[in-house]
Amino acid sequence: MSFGGSVSAMITSLKNNSRQKKKLLFDKKDTNWKKVPVKLKKFREKKATQKQLRKIRTKLLAENSRDTYKKVVALGLALLIVSWLIYWFFYT
């Protein structure tokens, strides 16, 4: 194997060119976690009432059940078509 020298040269070059890795976000001492951007403050201030939450929940449940029904129907049709094709290829 003649590539031994070139591989070791590549590894040495990579080691020599490597720079100090950036510290993790949590390791930085100058980060002030108490400061929150204005956009997030506005987002956090908004609260939903119980009535609104119930309405959102029922809407999401209805959407999820419709999506599930569509998926079941599509899967059923696909299985029907595949079974018909298998029958047609092997028994006709």
Side-chain angles (χ1 to χ4, degrees), residues 37-89:
V38 176
K39 291 180 182 178
L40 288 179
K41 284 183 181 179
K42 288 180 181 178
F43 181 73
R44 288 182 183 173
E45 289 174 1
K46 294 180 181 178
K47 304 258 182 188
T49 63
Q50 291 296 324
K51 187 176 180 180
Q52 290 172 333
L53 290 174
R54 272 186 258 122
K55 186 177 178 181
I56 292 169
R57 185 175 194 277
T58 55
K59 182 180 174 184
L60 286 175
L61 286 173
E63 286 178 5
N64 288 341
S65 64
R66 272 192 307 255
D67 289 344
T68 303
Y69 179 75
K70 288 179 184 177
K71 289 177 185 176
V72 167
V73 168
L75 181 65
L77 286 174
L79 286 174
L80 236 134
I81 292 171
V82 167
S83 63
W84 179 77
L85 286 173
I86 290 172
Y87 175 77
W88 187 69
F89 279 127

Side-chain angles (χ1 to χ4, degrees), residues 12-13 23 35 54 65-66 90:
T12 305
S13 174
K23 292 182 180 180
K35 289 184 179 178
R54 272 186 258 122
S65 64
R66 272 192 307 255
F90 291 112

